[in-house]
Coordinates of all heavy atoms in Angstrom, one line a residue:
M1 N -2.6 -15.2 -4.7 CA -3.5 -14.1 -4.3 C -3.3 -12.9 -5.1 O -2.1 -12.6 -5.3 CB -3.4 -13.8 -2.8 CG -4.1 -14.9 -2.0 SD -3.7 -14.7 -0.3 CE -2.1 -15.3 -0.2
K2 N -4.3 -12.2 -5.5 CA -4.1 -11.0 -6.4 C -4.1 -9.7 -5.7 O -4.9 -9.5 -4.8 CB -5.2 -11.0 -7.4 CG -5.3 -12.2 -8.3 CD -4.6 -11.9 -9.6 CE -4.8 -13.0 -10.6 NZ -3.6 -13.8 -10.8
V3 N -3.2 -8.8 -6.2 CA -3.2 -7.4 -5.8 C -3.2 -6.6 -7.0 O -2.5 -6.9 -7.9 CB -1.9 -7.1 -4.9 CG1 -1.9 -5.6 -4.6 CG2 -1.9 -8.0 -3.6
T4 N -4.0 -5.5 -7.0 CA -4.0 -4.6 -8.1 C -3.6 -3.2 -7.6 O -4.1 -2.7 -6.6 CB -5.5 -4.4 -8.6 OG1 -5.9 -5.7 -9.1 CG2 -5.5 -3.4 -9.8
W5 N -2.6 -2.6 -8.3 CA -2.2 -1.3 -8.1 C -2.7 -0.4 -9.3 O -2.5 -0.8 -10.4 CB -0.7 -1.1 -8.1 CG 0.0 -1.7 -6.9 CD1 0.3 -1.0 -5.7 CD2 0.4 -3.0 -6.7 NE1 1.0 -1.9 -4.9 CE2 1.1 -3.2 -5.4 CE3 0.4 -4.2 -7.5 CZ2 1.6 -4.3 -4.9 CZ3 0.9 -5.4 -7.0 CH2 1.5 -5.4 -5.8
V6 N -3.4 0.6 -9.0 CA -3.8 1.6 -10.0 C -2.8 2.7 -10.1 O -2.6 3.4 -9.1 CB -5.3 2.1 -9.7 CG1 -5.7 3.0 -10.8 CG2 -6.2 1.0 -9.4
L7 N -2.2 2.8 -11.2 CA -1.1 3.9 -11.3 C -1.8 5.3 -11.6 O -3.0 5.4 -12.0 CB -0.2 3.5 -12.5 CG 0.4 2.1 -12.4 CD1 1.4 1.9 -13.6 CD2 1.2 2.0 -11.1
P8 N -1.0 6.3 -11.3 CA -1.6 7.7 -11.5 C -2.3 7.9 -12.9 O -3.2 8.6 -13.0 CB -0.4 8.6 -11.2 CG 0.5 7.9 -10.3 CD 0.3 6.4 -10.7
G9 N -1.7 7.3 -13.9 CA -2.3 7.4 -15.2 C -3.5 6.6 -15.5 O -4.1 6.7 -16.5
G10 N -3.9 5.8 -14.5 CA -5.2 5.0 -14.6 C -4.9 3.6 -15.0 O -5.8 2.7 -15.0
E11 N -3.7 3.3 -15.3 CA -3.3 1.9 -15.8 C -3.2 1.0 -14.5 O -2.8 1.4 -13.4 CB -2.0 2.0 -16.4 CG -1.4 0.8 -17.0 CD 0.1 1.1 -17.4 OE1 0.5 2.2 -17.6 OE2 0.9 0.1 -17.3
D12 N -3.7 -0.3 -14.7 CA -3.6 -1.2 -13.6 C -2.3 -2.1 -13.7 O -2.0 -2.5 -14.8 CB -4.8 -2.2 -13.6 CG -6.1 -1.5 -13.1 OD1 -6.1 -0.4 -12.7 OD2 -7.1 -2.2 -13.2
V13 N -1.8 -2.4 -12.5 CA -0.7 -3.5 -12.5 C -1.3 -4.6 -11.6 O -1.7 -4.2 -10.4 CB 0.6 -3.0 -11.9 CG1 1.6 -4.2 -11.7 CG2 1.2 -1.8 -12.7
V14 N -1.5 -5.8 -12.1 CA -2.1 -6.9 -11.3 C -1.0 -7.9 -11.1 O -0.3 -8.3 -12.1 CB -3.3 -7.5 -12.0 CG1 -4.0 -8.6 -11.2 CG2 -4.3 -6.4 -12.4
A15 N -0.9 -8.4 -9.9 CA 0.2 -9.4 -9.6 C -0.3 -10.4 -8.6 O -1.2 -10.1 -7.8 CB 1.4 -8.7 -9.0
D16 N 0.3 -11.6 -8.7 CA 0.1 -12.6 -7.7 C 1.1 -12.3 -6.6 O 2.3 -12.2 -6.8 CB 0.4 -14.0 -8.3 CG -0.7 -14.5 -9.1 OD1 -1.8 -14.5 -8.6 OD2 -0.4 -15.1 -10.2
V17 N 0.6 -12.3 -5.3 CA 1.4 -12.0 -4.2 C 1.2 -13.1 -3.2 O 0.0 -13.4 -2.8 CB 1.0 -10.6 -3.6 CG1 1.8 -10.3 -2.4 CG2 1.2 -9.5 -4.6
A18 N 2.3 -13.6 -2.6 CA 2.2 -14.7 -1.7 C 1.9 -14.1 -0.3 O 2.3 -13.0 0.1 CB 3.5 -15.4 -1.6
A19 N 1.2 -14.9 0.5 CA 0.9 -14.6 1.9 C 2.2 -14.3 2.6 O 3.2 -15.0 2.4 CB 0.1 -15.7 2.6
G20 N 2.2 -13.3 3.5 CA 3.4 -13.0 4.3 C 4.3 -11.9 3.8 O 5.1 -11.4 4.5
L21 N 4.1 -11.6 2.5 CA 4.9 -10.6 1.9 C 4.2 -9.2 2.2 O 3.0 -9.2 2.1 CB 4.9 -10.8 0.4 CG 6.1 -10.2 -0.4 CD1 7.4 -10.8 0.0 CD2 5.9 -10.4 -1.9
N22 N 4.9 -8.2 2.5 CA 4.2 -6.9 2.6 C 4.0 -6.2 1.3 O 4.7 -6.6 0.3 CB 4.9 -6.0 3.7 CG 6.2 -5.3 3.2 OD1 6.2 -4.7 2.1 ND2 7.3 -5.5 3.9
L23 N 3.1 -5.3 1.2 CA 2.7 -4.8 -0.2 C 3.7 -3.8 -0.7 O 3.6 -3.5 -2.0 CB 1.2 -4.3 -0.1 CG 0.2 -5.4 0.3 CD1 -1.2 -4.8 0.2 CD2 0.3 -6.7 -0.6
M24 N 4.6 -3.3 0.0 CA 5.7 -2.5 -0.5 C 6.6 -3.5 -1.3 O 7.0 -3.2 -2.4 CB 6.4 -1.8 0.6 CG 7.7 -1.0 0.1 SD 9.2 -2.0 -0.1 CE 9.6 -2.3 1.7
E25 N 7.0 -4.6 -0.6 CA 7.9 -5.6 -1.3 C 7.2 -6.1 -2.5 O 7.9 -6.3 -3.6 CB 8.2 -6.7 -0.3 CG 9.0 -6.3 0.9 CD 9.1 -7.5 1.9 OE1 8.0 -8.0 2.3 OE2 10.2 -7.8 2.3
A26 N 5.9 -6.4 -2.4 CA 5.2 -6.9 -3.6 C 5.3 -5.9 -4.8 O 5.4 -6.3 -5.9 CB 3.8 -7.3 -3.2
A27 N 5.1 -4.6 -4.4 CA 5.2 -3.6 -5.4 C 6.5 -3.6 -6.1 O 6.7 -3.5 -7.3 CB 4.8 -2.2 -4.9
Q28 N 7.6 -3.7 -5.2 CA 8.9 -3.6 -5.8 C 9.2 -4.8 -6.7 O 9.7 -4.7 -7.8 CB 10.0 -3.6 -4.7 CG 10.1 -2.3 -4.0 CD 11.2 -2.3 -2.9 OE1 11.6 -3.4 -2.4 NE2 11.8 -1.2 -2.7
N29 N 8.7 -6.0 -6.3 CA 8.9 -7.2 -7.1 C 8.2 -7.1 -8.4 O 8.6 -7.8 -9.4 CB 8.3 -8.4 -6.3 CG 9.1 -8.8 -5.1 OD1 10.2 -8.3 -4.9 ND2 8.5 -9.7 -4.3
N30 N 7.2 -6.3 -8.5 CA 6.4 -6.2 -9.7 C 6.6 -4.8 -10.5 O 5.8 -4.4 -11.3 CB 4.9 -6.4 -9.4 CG 4.7 -7.9 -9.1 OD1 4.7 -8.7 -9.9 ND2 4.6 -8.1 -7.8
N31 N 7.7 -4.1 -10.0 CA 8.0 -2.8 -10.7 C 6.9 -1.8 -10.8 O 6.7 -1.3 -11.8 CB 8.6 -3.1 -12.1 CG 9.8 -4.0 -12.1 OD1 10.7 -3.7 -11.3 ND2 9.9 -5.0 -12.9
V32 N 6.2 -1.7 -9.6 CA 5.1 -0.8 -9.6 C 5.7 0.7 -9.5 O 6.3 1.0 -8.5 CB 4.1 -1.0 -8.5 CG1 3.0 0.0 -8.4 CG2 3.5 -2.4 -8.6
A33 N 5.5 1.5 -10.5 CA 6.0 2.8 -10.5 C 5.5 3.6 -9.4 O 4.3 3.6 -9.1 CB 5.8 3.5 -11.9
G34 N 6.3 4.4 -8.7 CA 5.9 5.3 -7.7 C 5.9 4.7 -6.3 O 5.6 5.4 -5.4
I35 N 6.2 3.4 -6.2 CA 6.4 2.8 -4.9 C 7.9 2.5 -4.7 O 8.5 1.6 -5.3 CB 5.6 1.5 -4.7 CG1 4.1 1.7 -5.0 CG2 5.8 0.9 -3.3 CD1 3.4 2.6 -4.1
Q36 N 8.6 3.4 -3.9 CA 10.0 3.2 -3.8 C 10.4 2.3 -2.6 O 11.3 1.5 -2.8 CB 10.7 4.6 -3.7 CG 10.9 5.2 -5.0 CD 10.2 6.6 -5.1 OE1 10.1 7.3 -4.0 NE2 9.7 6.9 -6.2
G37 N 9.9 2.5 -1.5 CA 10.2 1.7 -0.3 C 11.7 1.9 0.1 O 12.4 0.9 0.4
E38 N 12.1 3.1 0.1 CA 13.5 3.4 0.4 C 14.1 2.9 1.7 O 15.2 2.6 1.8 CB 13.7 5.0 0.3 CG 13.8 5.5 -1.1 CD 13.8 7.0 -1.1 OE1 13.9 7.7 -0.1 OE2 13.6 7.5 -2.2
C39 N 13.3 2.8 2.7 CA 13.8 2.4 4.0 C 13.7 0.8 4.2 O 14.0 0.3 5.2 CB 13.0 3.1 5.2 SG 11.4 2.5 5.5
G40 N 13.2 0.2 3.2 CA 13.1 -1.3 3.3 C 12.0 -1.8 4.2 O 12.0 -2.9 4.6
G41 N 11.1 -0.9 4.5 CA 10.0 -1.4 5.3 C 10.1 -1.1 6.8 O 9.4 -1.7 7.6
S42 N 11.1 -0.3 7.1 CA 11.3 0.0 8.6 C 10.5 1.3 9.1 O 10.8 1.8 10.1 CB 12.7 0.1 8.9 OG 13.3 1.2 8.1
L43 N 9.5 1.7 8.3 CA 8.6 2.7 8.7 C 9.3 4.0 8.9 O 9.1 4.8 9.9 CB 7.9 2.3 10.0 CG 6.5 2.8 10.3 CD1 5.6 2.7 9.2 CD2 5.9 2.1 11.5
S44 N 10.3 4.3 8.0 CA 11.0 5.6 8.2 C 11.2 6.4 6.9 O 12.1 7.2 6.9 CB 12.3 5.4 8.9 OG 13.1 4.5 8.2
C45 N 10.4 6.1 5.9 CA 10.6 6.9 4.7 C 9.3 7.4 4.0 O 9.3 8.4 3.4 CB 11.3 6.1 3.6 SG 10.4 4.8 2.8
A46 N 8.2 6.7 4.2 CA 6.9 7.0 3.6 C 6.9 7.0 2.0 O 6.0 7.6 1.5 CB 6.3 8.4 4.1
T47 N 7.9 6.4 1.5 CA 7.9 6.3 0.0 C 7.1 5.1 -0.5 O 7.2 4.7 -1.7 CB 9.3 6.3 -0.6 OG1 10.0 5.1 -0.1 CG2 10.1 7.5 -0.2
C48 N 6.4 4.5 0.3 CA 5.6 3.3 0.0 C 4.1 3.7 0.1 O 3.2 2.8 0.2 CB 5.9 2.1 0.8 SG 5.6 2.4 2.5
H49 N 3.8 5.0 0.1 CA 2.4 5.5 0.4 C 1.5 5.0 -0.8 O 1.8 5.1 -1.9 CB 2.5 7.0 0.3 CG 1.2 7.7 0.5 ND1 1.1 9.0 0.1 CD2 0.0 7.3 1.0 CE1 -0.2 9.4 0.4 NE2 -0.9 8.4 1.0
V50 N 0.3 4.4 -0.3 CA -0.7 4.1 -1.3 C -2.0 4.5 -0.7 O -2.2 4.8 0.5 CB -0.8 2.5 -1.5 CG1 0.4 2.0 -2.2 CG2 -1.0 1.7 -0.2
H51 N -3.1 4.5 -1.6 CA -4.5 4.7 -1.1 C -5.1 3.3 -1.2 O -5.0 2.7 -2.3 CB -5.2 5.7 -2.0 CG -4.7 7.1 -1.7 ND1 -5.1 8.1 -2.6 CD2 -3.9 7.7 -0.8 CE1 -4.5 9.2 -2.1 NE2 -3.8 9.0 -1.1
V52 N -5.8 2.9 -0.2 CA -6.5 1.6 -0.2 C -8.0 1.9 -0.6 O -8.6 2.8 0.0 CB -6.5 1.0 1.2 CG1 -7.2 -0.4 1.3 CG2 -5.0 0.7 1.7
A53 N -8.4 1.1 -1.5 CA -9.8 1.3 -2.0 C -10.8 1.1 -0.8 O -10.5 0.3 0.1 CB -10.1 0.2 -3.1
E54 N -11.8 1.8 -0.8 CA -12.7 1.9 0.4 C -13.2 0.5 0.9 O -13.2 0.2 2.1 CB -13.9 2.8 0.1 CG -14.7 3.1 1.3 CD -15.6 4.3 1.1 OE1 -15.7 4.8 -0.1 OE2 -16.3 4.7 2.1
D55 N -13.5 -0.3 -0.1 CA -14.0 -1.7 0.3 C -13.0 -2.5 1.0 O -13.4 -3.6 1.6 CB -14.4 -2.5 -1.0 CG -15.5 -1.9 -1.7 OD1 -16.0 -0.9 -1.3 OD2 -15.8 -2.4 -2.8
W56 N -11.8 -2.1 1.0 CA -10.7 -3.0 1.5 C -10.1 -2.4 2.8 O -9.2 -3.0 3.4 CB -9.6 -3.2 0.5 CG -10.1 -4.0 -0.6 CD1 -10.6 -3.6 -1.9 CD2 -10.1 -5.4 -0.7 NE1 -11.0 -4.7 -2.6 CE2 -10.7 -5.8 -1.9 CE3 -9.8 -6.4 0.2 CZ2 -10.9 -7.2 -2.2 CZ3 -9.9 -7.8 -0.1 CH2 -10.5 -8.1 -1.3
R57 N -10.6 -1.2 3.2 CA -9.9 -0.6 4.3 C -10.0 -1.4 5.6 O -9.0 -1.5 6.4 CB -10.4 0.9 4.5 CG -9.9 1.7 3.4 CD -10.2 3.1 3.6 NE -10.3 3.8 2.3 CZ -10.9 4.8 1.9 NH1 -11.7 5.5 2.9 NH2 -11.0 5.3 0.7
D58 N -11.1 -1.9 5.9 CA -11.3 -2.7 7.2 C -10.4 -3.9 7.2 O -9.7 -4.1 8.2 CB -12.8 -3.1 7.3 CG -13.7 -2.0 7.7 OD1 -13.1 -0.9 8.1 OD2 -14.9 -2.2 7.7
K59 N -10.3 -4.6 6.1 CA -9.5 -5.8 6.1 C -8.0 -5.4 6.1 O -7.2 -6.2 6.7 CB -9.8 -6.5 4.7 CG -11.1 -7.3 4.9 CD -11.3 -8.1 3.6 CE -12.6 -8.9 3.8 NZ -13.1 -9.4 2.5
A60 N -7.6 -4.3 5.5 CA -6.2 -3.9 5.6 C -5.8 -3.5 6.9 O -4.6 -3.4 7.3 CB -6.0 -2.8 4.5
G61 N -6.8 -3.1 7.8 CA -6.4 -2.8 9.2 C -6.2 -1.4 9.4 O -6.2 -0.5 8.5
E62 N -6.1 -1.0 10.7 CA -5.9 0.4 11.1 C -4.5 0.8 10.9 O -3.5 0.0 11.0 CB -6.2 0.5 12.6 CG -7.6 0.2 13.0 CD -8.5 1.4 12.7 OE1 -8.1 2.6 13.0 OE2 -9.6 1.2 12.1
K63 N -4.2 2.1 10.7 CA -2.9 2.6 10.6 C -2.3 2.6 12.1 O -3.0 2.8 13.0 CB -2.9 4.1 10.3 CG -3.4 4.5 9.0 CD -3.4 6.0 8.9 CE -4.1 6.5 7.8 NZ -5.4 6.8 7.7
G64 N -1.1 2.2 12.2 CA -0.4 2.3 13.5 C 0.0 3.7 13.8 O -0.1 4.6 13.0
E65 N 0.4 3.9 15.1 CA 0.7 5.3 15.5 C 1.9 5.9 14.8 O 1.8 7.1 14.3 CB 1.0 5.2 17.0 CG 1.1 6.5 17.7 CD 1.5 6.3 19.2 OE1 1.1 5.2 19.7 OE2 2.2 7.1 19.8
F66 N 2.9 5.1 14.6 CA 4.1 5.6 13.8 C 3.8 5.8 12.4 O 4.3 6.7 11.7 CB 5.3 4.7 14.0 CG 5.8 4.7 15.5 CD1 5.7 3.7 16.3 CD2 6.4 5.9 16.0 CE1 6.1 3.7 17.6 CE2 6.8 6.0 17.3 CZ 6.7 4.9 18.1
E67 N 3.0 4.9 11.9 CA 2.6 5.0 10.5 C 1.9 6.3 10.2 O 2.2 6.9 9.3 CB 1.7 3.8 10.1 CG 1.3 3.7 8.7 CD 0.4 2.5 8.3 OE1 0.2 1.7 9.2 OE2 -0.1 2.5 7.2
E68 N 1.0 6.6 11.1 CA 0.3 7.9 11.0 C 1.2 9.0 11.0 O 1.1 10.0 10.2 CB -0.7 8.0 12.1 CG -1.7 9.1 11.9 CD -3.2 8.5 12.1 OE1 -3.4 7.5 12.8 OE2 -4.0 9.1 11.5
A69 N 2.2 9.0 11.9 CA 3.2 10.1 11.9 C 4.0 10.2 10.6 O 4.2 11.3 10.1 CB 4.1 9.9 13.1
M70 N 4.4 9.1 10.1 CA 5.2 9.1 8.9 C 4.3 9.6 7.7 O 4.8 10.2 6.8 CB 5.7 7.6 8.6 CG 6.9 7.2 9.4 SD 8.2 8.4 9.4 CE 8.6 8.5 7.7
L71 N 3.0 9.2 7.7 CA 2.2 9.7 6.6 C 2.1 11.2 6.5 O 1.9 11.7 5.4 CB 0.8 9.1 6.8 CG 0.6 7.6 6.2 CD1 -0.7 7.0 6.7 CD2 0.7 7.6 4.7
E72 N 2.3 11.8 7.6 CA 2.3 13.3 7.5 C 3.4 13.8 6.7 O 3.4 14.9 6.2 CB 2.4 13.9 8.9 CG 1.1 13.7 9.7 CD 1.2 14.1 11.2 OE1 2.1 14.9 11.5 OE2 0.3 13.7 11.9
M73 N 4.4 13.0 6.4 CA 5.6 13.4 5.6 C 5.5 12.9 4.2 O 6.4 13.0 3.4 CB 6.9 13.0 6.2 CG 7.2 13.7 7.5 SD 8.6 12.9 8.3 CE 8.0 12.7 9.9
A74 N 4.5 12.1 3.9 CA 4.4 11.4 2.7 C 4.2 12.4 1.5 O 3.5 13.4 1.6 CB 3.3 10.4 2.7
D75 N 4.7 12.0 0.4 CA 4.4 12.7 -0.9 C 3.0 12.3 -1.4 O 2.6 11.2 -1.0 CB 5.4 12.4 -2.0 CG 6.7 13.0 -1.7 OD1 6.7 14.1 -1.1 OD2 7.8 12.6 -2.2
G76 N 2.4 13.1 -2.1 CA 1.1 12.8 -2.7 C 0.0 13.1 -1.7 O 0.2 13.5 -0.6
D77 N -1.2 13.0 -2.2 CA -2.4 13.3 -1.5 C -2.6 12.4 -0.3 O -2.8 11.2 -0.5 CB -3.5 13.3 -2.5 CG -4.8 13.6 -1.9 OD1 -4.9 14.4 -1.0 OD2 -5.9 13.1 -2.4
V78 N -2.5 12.9 0.9 CA -2.7 12.1 2.1 C -4.2 12.2 2.5 O -4.7 13.3 2.7 CB -1.8 12.4 3.3 CG1 -2.1 11.6 4.5 CG2 -0.3 12.3 2.8
S79 N -4.8 11.0 2.7 CA -6.3 11.0 3.0 C -6.6 9.9 3.9 O -5.7 9.1 4.3 CB -7.1 10.9 1.7 OG -7.0 9.6 1.3
D80 N -7.9 9.7 4.2 CA -8.3 8.6 5.1 C -7.9 7.2 4.4 O -7.8 6.2 5.1 CB -9.8 8.6 5.2 CG -10.3 9.7 6.2 OD1 -9.4 10.3 6.8 OD2 -11.5 10.0 6.3
A81 N -7.8 7.3 3.1 CA -7.4 6.1 2.4 C -5.9 5.7 2.5 O -5.5 4.6 2.1 CB -7.8 6.3 0.9
S82 N -5.2 6.7 3.0 CA -3.7 6.5 3.0 C -3.2 5.4 3.9 O -3.6 5.4 5.1 CB -3.0 7.8 3.3 OG -3.2 8.8 2.3
R83 N -2.3 4.6 3.4 CA -1.5 3.7 4.2 C -0.1 3.6 3.7 O 0.1 3.9 2.5 CB -2.1 2.2 4.1 CG -3.5 2.0 4.8 CD -3.5 2.1 6.3 NE -2.5 1.3 6.9 CZ -2.6 0.1 7.3 NH1 -3.7 -0.6 7.2 NH2 -1.6 -0.6 7.9
L84 N 0.8 3.1 4.6 CA 2.2 2.8 4.1 C 2.1 1.3 3.8 O 1.8 0.5 4.7 CB 3.2 3.1 5.2 CG 3.3 4.7 5.5 CD1 4.3 4.9 6.6 CD2 3.7 5.5 4.2
S85 N 2.4 1.0 2.5 CA 2.1 -0.3 2.1 C 3.1 -1.3 2.7 O 2.8 -2.5 2.7 CB 2.1 -0.4 0.6 OG 3.3 0.1 0.0
C86 N 4.2 -0.9 3.3 CA 5.1 -1.9 3.9 C 4.5 -2.4 5.2 O 4.9 -3.4 5.7 CB 6.5 -1.2 4.2 SG 6.5 0.1 5.5
Q87 N 3.4 -1.7 5.7 CA 2.8 -2.1 6.9 C 1.5 -3.0 6.6 O 0.8 -3.3 7.6 CB 2.4 -0.9 7.7 CG 3.5 0.0 8.0 CD 4.6 -0.7 8.8 OE1 4.3 -1.3 9.9 NE2 5.9 -0.8 8.3
I88 N 1.3 -3.3 5.4 CA 0.2 -4.2 5.1 C 0.8 -5.5 4.6 O 1.5 -5.5 3.6 CB -0.7 -3.6 4.0 CG1 -1.2 -2.2 4.4 CG2 -1.9 -4.5 3.7 CD1 -2.0 -1.5 3.2
V89 N 0.5 -6.6 5.4 CA 1.0 -7.9 5.0 C 0.0 -8.7 4.3 O -1.2 -8.8 4.8 CB 1.5 -8.6 6.3 CG1 2.0 -10.0 6.0 CG2 2.7 -7.7 6.9
M90 N 0.4 -9.3 3.2 CA -0.6 -10.1 2.4 C -1.1 -11.3 3.2 O -0.3 -12.0 3.9 CB 0.1 -10.6 1.1 CG -0.9 -11.1 0.1 SD -2.0 -9.7 -0.4 CE -3.2 -10.7 -1.3
S91 N -2.4 -11.5 3.1 CA -3.0 -12.7 3.7 C -4.2 -13.1 2.9 O -4.6 -12.3 2.0 CB -3.5 -12.3 5.1 OG -4.5 -11.4 5.0
D92 N -4.8 -14.2 3.2 CA -6.0 -14.7 2.4 C -7.1 -13.6 2.4 O -7.7 -13.4 1.4 CB -6.5 -15.9 3.0 CG -5.6 -17.2 2.9 OD1 -4.7 -17.1 2.0 OD2 -5.8 -18.1 3.6
D93 N -7.2 -12.9 3.5 CA -8.3 -11.9 3.6 C -8.1 -10.8 2.6 O -9.1 -10.0 2.3 CB -8.3 -11.3 4.9 CG -9.0 -12.1 6.0 OD1 -9.5 -13.2 5.6 OD2 -8.9 -11.8 7.2
L94 N -6.9 -10.6 2.1 CA -6.6 -9.4 1.3 C -6.6 -9.8 -0.2 O -6.2 -9.0 -1.1 CB -5.3 -8.7 1.7 CG -5.3 -8.2 3.1 CD1 -4.0 -7.5 3.4 CD2 -6.4 -7.2 3.3
D95 N -6.9 -11.0 -0.5 CA -6.9 -11.5 -1.9 C -7.9 -10.6 -2.8 O -9.1 -10.6 -2.4 CB -7.3 -13.0 -2.0 CG -7.2 -13.6 -3.4 OD1 -6.5 -12.9 -4.2 OD2 -7.8 -14.6 -3.6
G96 N -7.4 -9.9 -3.7 CA -8.2 -9.0 -4.6 C -8.0 -7.5 -4.2 O -8.7 -6.7 -4.9
I97 N -7.3 -7.2 -3.2 CA -7.1 -5.8 -2.7 C -6.8 -4.9 -3.8 O -6.0 -5.2 -4.7 CB -6.2 -5.7 -1.5 CG1 -6.3 -4.3 -0.9 CG2 -4.8 -6.1 -1.9 CD1 -5.6 -4.2 0.5
R98 N -7.3 -3.7 -3.8 CA -6.9 -2.7 -4.8 C -6.3 -1.5 -4.1 O -6.9 -0.9 -3.2 CB -8.2 -2.2 -5.6 CG -8.7 -3.1 -6.6 CD -9.9 -2.6 -7.3 NE -9.6 -1.5 -8.2 CZ -9.2 -1.7 -9.4 NH1 -9.0 -2.9 -9.9 NH2 -9.0 -0.6 -10.2
L99 N -5.2 -1.1 -4.6 CA -4.4 0.1 -4.1 C -4.2 1.1 -5.2 O -4.0 0.7 -6.4 CB -3.1 -0.4 -3.6 CG -3.0 -1.6 -2.6 CD1 -1.5 -2.0 -2.4 CD2 -3.7 -1.2 -1.3
T100 N -4.2 2.3 -4.9 CA -3.9 3.4 -5.9 C -2.6 4.1 -5.4 O -2.4 4.4 -4.3 CB -5.0 4.4 -5.9 OG1 -6.3 3.7 -6.2 CG2 -4.8 5.5 -6.9
V101 N -1.8 4.2 -6.4 CA -0.5 5.0 -6.1 C -0.9 6.5 -6.2 O -1.4 7.0 -7.2 CB 0.5 4.7 -7.2 CG1 1.8 5.5 -7.0 CG2 0.9 3.2 -7.3
P102 N -0.7 7.2 -5.1 CA -1.2 8.6 -5.0 C -0.4 9.5 -6.0 O 0.8 9.2 -6.2 CB -1.0 9.0 -3.6 CG -0.4 7.9 -2.9 CD -0.1 6.8 -3.9
T103 N -1.0 10.6 -6.4 CA -0.3 11.6 -7.2 C 0.2 12.7 -6.4 O -0.4 12.9 -5.3 CB -1.2 12.1 -8.3 OG1 -2.4 12.6 -7.8 CG2 -1.4 11.1 -9.4
Ligands
FES201 S1 9.1 1.4 2.9 FE1 9.7 3.1 4.2 S2 7.9 3.5 5.3 FE2 7.3 1.9 4.0

C-alpha cells in the first residue's frame, strides 16, 4: 500500500507501507525529513505532526483527545488537517493517502 509524504520544499516521498504500521514508523523507515517521532509513538512529543490531505481525513479518522492536546504543542502550522502520524495505523482503506510535512 502506498503512502505519499509531501515535504516542505514540495518534493514527494512515496513508499510502500504494510498494514498495521503507524505512519510515524513508516516515515522513519523511509527517512522522511521532518518526522522525528521522538517518543516512539507514545503520544508525548508531537514531533510526528503531519497534515492529512482533505480527501483522506475521514478515512484517517478523528483525532483522539490526547492527540488534540499534544497537537497544541506541535511545531509547524496546526490546522484542521493536523494529525500526529503515530496515531494513524496503515490499513487497506488508507492505500494512497497523502500527508504533508508541516513547515
Ligand atoms: S511520535 Fe511522539 S507523539 Fe507521535
